[in-house]
Amino acid sequence: MEKIIIFDTTLRDGEQAPGASLTAQEKLEIAFQLEKLGVDVIEAGFPIASPGDFQAVSDISKRIKNSAVCGLARCLKQDIEAANNALKIARHPRIHIFLATSKIHLEYKFKKPEEEIFALAKQATKLARRLCDDIEFSPEDATRSERSFLYRVIEAVIDQGARTINIPDTVGYSYPQEVYSLITDIKNNVPNINKAVIAIHCHDDLGMAVANSLSAVLAGARQVHCTINGIGERAGNASLEEIVMAIKTRKDAFINLYTQIKTKELFPTSRLVSNLTDFIVPPNKAVVGRNAFAHESGIHQDAVLKKKITYEIMDPHDVGISESQLVLGKHSGRHAFRSRLEALGFHLNDEQLNKAFIRFKEVADKKKDIFDDDLRIIVEDEIRVVKPIWQLESFEVNSGTKIKPKALVTVNKKGKKLNSVSSGDGPVDAVFKAIDKITGYNAKLEDFRLEAVTSGKDALGQVSLKLKIKDKVISGRGSSTDIIEAAIRAYLNAVNKLETK
Ligand code: KIV
Ligand code: ZN
């Protein structure tokens, strides 16, 4: 059996998704979960990009034991040294250097001839290899590069000690047969290619990132770059969960290939990344979407009851989806609450547990049955709040078909209660305007989504939104059985994030 190395770039390319910025603490939390999931390499960030990125890569290097930790660098001395410094404490450090090789990039981005780029790639690999044993090289925009130049660069960087050659489809332009030929041609035309592992890195601009990655695997690539939920620059990257489950489910096509991913951790990882990045997973998303295993039609339901294999090619339990269980109600005590949370993978300290328990009781007063999914949202809302600088105290809304909606909102800032009244186009608009009057921000609502967490009329509603404040787009989430309250919580969550960051 041959292993397909899973290189996760959620914390680097994934974080490049517009509006998906994560704090160093949130990145660490995701890194722990990626390690639990069993990814081979965690690309933790781009250390030269900002002090925050440097810190995150260095924190992750300190704490991650089993997965290799990787930092990105351009072919520049200062980038490579920054990556090396951030990775110093890692048990298995890897420096990933990249340089574009396509004519389009050379002409318009660098304005440099091929020979200069060739020399830069060689020098940078040599320097990186002096500092770190494990070097990965990416000829950026490889799929649009002239073949002969691409082969020359790959051969040269392998000679300088690159152990992995990653082939990026940077702009998501390729299609599966083309990727298959490219990998095959690299194997046939780069004389020293057997000294390196071939990797593939696909973007989803034409919706083919996963298909292209799998095609590369069939042609001989043995490492795949991917992200949780497929988040990433523009249309995103190849989705980790889809690649892993395709290889596992279609053993007849991916003969003798396996990944070391613990697939039962796929769903919890997807939820964590979605909650921390505020990127909602579409209900119809393959493998981890809410509807991925839901059978609506009567014919399908009947057949599945008779024999699952009729309409289910994967077992939902294999990817960590279990039926959301009815677990607690308003009479449940702290002990039952803590044990259920531990079963769901949350290990809270006493202060976090207290906060989450108070919120649980508030929700249980309004909602008779509390399911696992409700608990997850309650805990995530309470323990992952960035510093709660602005907190909701109370609100009143007056709205109807014949009146202009009006809202009174009271918030608490450092123990001081502040309130304001405003009218708006709707009740949500009115509460947001009232909050703006209090905080002094003139926030523009860029996106607003409401989702029911579980079923039933008393379901928890979760609001995810994006605000534009002073040219920064910042996301927020909040939940409640009352959708106006959920909207206020999400709005304040975004404002708190802005002030904390
Ligand atoms: O898409 C791309 O080309 C990249 C490189 C840095 C590998 O993300
Ligand atoms: Zn990329």
Side-chain angles (χ1 to χ4, degrees), residues 9 12-13 16 140 166 168-170 201-203 225 233-234 236-237:
T9 182
R12 201 277 298 169
D13 225 347
Q16 284 175 222
E140 192 190 3
N166 176 45
D169 184 26
T170 303
H201 176 112
C202 295
H203 281 270
H225 281 214
E233 187 82 51
R234 306 181 311 277
N237 290 57

Side-chain angles (χ1 to χ4, degrees), residues 5 33 43-44 88 91 122 147 179 193 203 235 242 258 267 279 315 360 395 455-456 469 481 486:
I5 300 163
Q33 182 59 32
E43 187 165 49
K88 239 180 203 145
R91 290 200 183 185
K122 269 175 72 173
R147 289 296 180 81
V179 172
I193 194 68
H203 281 270
E242 293 174 24
Y258 73 99
F267 185 66
F279 267 59
D315 182 342
F360 158 71
F395 74 96
S455 55
I469 306 176
T481 48

Side-chain angles (χ1 to χ4, degrees), residues 209-355:
V210 169
N212 285 338
S213 307
L214 292 171
S215 193
V217 166
L218 290 174
R222 287 297 173 261
Q223 177 179 285
V224 180
H225 281 214
C226 40
T227 62
I228 301 296
N229 301 331
I231 62 168
E233 187 82 51
R234 306 181 311 277
N237 290 57
S239 131
L240 180 147
E241 55 279 2
E242 293 174 24
I243 286 167
V244 166
M245 289 315 287
I247 293 172
K248 185 177 159 89
T249 308
R250 294 304 306 269
K251 291 198 176 72
D252 58 328
F254 299 96
I255 299 165
N256 284 334
L257 299 176
Y258 73 99
T259 73
Q260 66 166 32
I261 294 299
K262 296 184 185 73
T263 59
K264 282 194 176 10
E265 292 298 329
L266 286 172
F267 185 66
T269 313
S270 160
R271 292 296 300 258
L272 177 71
V273 170
S274 166
N275 282 322
L276 293 185
T277 56
D278 289 319
F279 267 59
I280 287 180
V281 177
N284 62 333
K285 162 87 177 60
V287 182
V288 290
R290 190 155 34 98
N291 294 347
F293 297 92
H295 302 283
E296 180 67 22
S297 113
I299 299 170
H300 289 205
Q301 285 173 354
D302 179 58
V304 166
L305 286 174
K306 287 177 180 145
K307 192 81 181 162
K308 281 199 163 158
I309 196 175
T310 49
Y311 286 101
E312 258 180 31
I313 59 163
M314 292 173 270
D315 182 342
H317 293 105
D318 270 359
V319 300
I321 298 180
S322 53
E323 242 149 60
S324 189
Q325 288 180 29
L326 165 60
V327 279
L328 301 169
K330 70 174 175 183
H331 300 298
S332 306
R334 186 182 296 263
H335 184 70
F337 181 69
R338 185 194 281 271
S339 2
R340 192 62 211 156
L341 290 185
E342 282 177 1
L344 291 174
F346 293 106
H347 301 281
L348 309 190
N349 62 33
D350 286 347
E351 193 195 334
Q352 289 172 324
L353 188 86
N354 279 346
K355 278 171 74 186

